[in-house]
Amino acid sequence: MSPTEKTPDECKSWAYWLSESLDVQLHNTAMGSQGNDLIARKVIHKVVELLDSGVAPEEILVGIVWSGADRKDFYSSEVPADFPVNESGWIKNPEQFVEGDQTQGGWVIMSSGWMHQYSKIWYENFYDEVGAHINTYERIHWTQSYLKSVGVQYFMTTYMSNVINYMNNPAHGTPSKFYQTCRQDPNIQWMHDHIDWQCFLPVQSYSAWCDVHYDDFVNFYDHPQEPHARAFVEKVVVPHVQEKILQGEPQ
Amino acid sequence: MTHKHLVSGGCSFTTTQHGTTNWPLYLAEQLDLELHDCAFSGQGNGMIARRIIHTVAELLKSGVHCKEILVGIVWSGIDRREFFTTDSARIESACTQGDSWPTPLAAESNHGSWQMLNAVFPSDFAQNWYTQYHNETESAILFYERVHWTQCYLKSLGIDTFMSVYTNYVMDTEFDQNPNVTWIKDQIDRSVFLPVRSLYDTFEPEGDGSIYGVMHHPDAAQSENFAINHVLPFVKQKYGV
């Protein structure tokens, strides 16, 4: 998602500043507008690639800022010629992420504010708010289960506090109305209880943290800029990584 | 520690609901295990994975030890999908047109349900999906992602597992050559798969089953044969049962 992404024309994201701070090589799979299906898929693919190249699991640290639960993607074998192109180049849609992919297909990203035909039909016919949150929980669970199975350390948070609400810890804030509704629904609750919340940064969300600490930042509207990203890394991410991961505390 | 519980998942080739005599009954009897069958007719692999993980989670929550659980899955058609919905009008509309009625994952839930999609369902809802979004490459990718999710979860808990597929079409597909499929396919642990091409192959050696539409299902004798002559030797050898 965009607060994580770093492109030459955009500001340096938290991922850049963390790699600088820890003096590690950055492999950034983030991209503006992508949803949690693609985030999970691309992170797992990158870790697989690194492990296959001989990198040891303990040499890898994974950091994920989960995106909007309402975002969706699907793989299309043949993308129509008239598919709208993002002219600014900020995102690729459809997206390809497997190296050497010579196919004509790609992952078509859909967002509720976009009105290309795939997006429109999806949100009118198949989208459900609760279903979207279940999907996000499942993608987080898949990613965590995989990283645990290969012994790779990780930390996570969300870009905004409406993505998922992990506020089972009162220190993280007041639960939203939607969250309270979801907590009554066993379809979500059981999966919520299976998420490893210990790996989540001790903030409500990246955006909420910026909102609290910067007068010029508006939650649910602004994207973090370089000063926000750098401070977030220094004050939140690095202390968490040092305490929970580098000192070997179990997650 | 010896197994005490068999958690089985799959579609109509596996379900024991409504008196259906499928392979889990015979395996549970042979191994003297308590059966927790979460297979449903017509469900796809997303639902199979979700129900397996949910059933295992419930058992663990009730105090059952990981090593007391044996999980067996026969994966279903990769073209099948499901969507969670809280929109009762959407469900009503699809089901009155002939689709199957949805079932909630959690029995006590009245908040919403998983609505199944199958290529042979007649509703506008189903046809809209298969016309606009369905393609075999994505179906293969999502299938392997679901298998990978389930395997990672079960492995992280150290739970003994075996798997197979219902027909030959599930894993013997030409779109597997697409690099978007192969990278995730390569992450699947093949060592837990039974040494058969599919369940269908054990009783119809000349056939492949059908990727879309109705096919022959195993009868009681064929299900018993699968459990005793294909699953049991594999489980005995791999897990020392």
Side-chain angles (χ1 to χ4, degrees), chain A residues 41 75 118 122 128 138, chain B residues 50 86 109 133 135 145 149:
Chain A
R41 195 173 286 126
Y75 185 85
Y118 295 112
W122 167 263
D128 182 276
E138 290 182 351
Chain B
R50 193 172 293 118
T86 49
S109 174
Y133 301 102
N135 64 83
E145 287 182 355
W149 175 33

Side-chain angles (χ1 to χ4, degrees), chain B residues 8-240:
Chain B
S8 56
C11 58
S12 54
F13 278 50
T14 298
T15 188
T16 56
Q17 287 197 326
H18 311 299
T20 312
T21 49
N22 272 326
W23 64 265
L25 289 176
Y26 303 103
L27 186 65
E29 186 183 349
Q30 282 290 319
L31 295 175
D32 193 21
L33 304 177
E34 186 180 337
L35 178 60
H36 308 266
D37 180 35
C38 56
F40 274 75
S41 293
Q43 72 179 359
N45 296 314
M47 212 60 220
I48 292 173
R50 193 172 293 118
R51 282 199 159 109
I52 284 286
I53 292 171
H54 179 254
T55 305
V56 169
E58 289 294 305
L59 279 175
L60 296 177
K61 207 163 93 176
S62 73
V64 172
H65 192 276
C66 301
K67 285 298 169 193
E68 294 177 324
I69 301 172
L70 174 66
V71 171
I73 303 172
V74 174
W75 298 100
S76 186
I78 63 171
D79 58 307
R80 297 175 177 182
R81 295 291 289 267
E82 69 286 329
F83 293 93
F84 187 87
T85 182
T86 49
D87 183 349
S88 55
R90 182 193 290 179
I91 294 171
E92 185 77 25
S93 169
C95 295
T96 52
Q97 291 179 61
D99 291 7
S100 67
W101 287 89
T103 51
L105 178 69
E108 71 274 29
S109 174
N110 58 0
H111 296 267
S113 290
W114 290 95
Q115 192 169 7
M116 314 285 178
L117 281 191
N118 190 309
V120 298
F121 284 178
S123 73
D124 298 337
F125 180 71
Q127 292 307 312
N128 213 359
W129 169 263
Y130 284 97
T131 305
Q132 296 291 335
Y133 301 102
H134 171 73
N135 64 83
E136 290 174 334
T137 305
E138 191 204 43
S139 297
I141 293 168
L142 293 184
F143 163 62
Y144 289 115
E145 287 182 355
R146 299 307 192 184
V147 178
H148 188 240
W149 175 33
T150 309
Q151 288 192 340
C152 288
Y153 173 69
L154 296 173
K155 262 188 189 174
S156 72
L157 295 168
I159 291 177
D160 294 337
T161 309
F162 66 89
M163 297 179 176
S164 188
V165 292
Y166 83 143
T167 71
N168 300 339
Y169 277 113
V170 179
M171 295 181 84
D172 299 355
T173 47
E174 60 188 30
F175 30 84
D176 281 4
Q177 302 310 310
N178 185 310
N180 291 282
V181 180
T182 52
W183 82 267
I184 186 67
K185 183 181 179 183
D186 290 345
Q187 302 313 306
I188 301 305
D189 178 4
R190 298 295 186 121
S191 74
V192 299
F193 275 76
L194 302 177
V196 295
R197 203 171 160 208
S198 69
L199 197 168
Y200 193 90
D201 217 40
T202 65
F203 68 91
E204 285 281 353
E206 301 300 320
D208 276 346
S210 169
I211 191 166
Y212 302 115
V214 179
M215 68 198 80
H216 294 295
H217 282 62
D219 61 22
Q222 291 162 337
S223 295
E224 186 175 18
N225 171 63
F226 180 72
I228 293 176
N229 294 318
H230 297 283
V231 181
L232 201 55
F234 179 84
V235 172
K236 279 183 174 174
Q237 186 183 20
K238 190 164 182 66
Y239 301 118

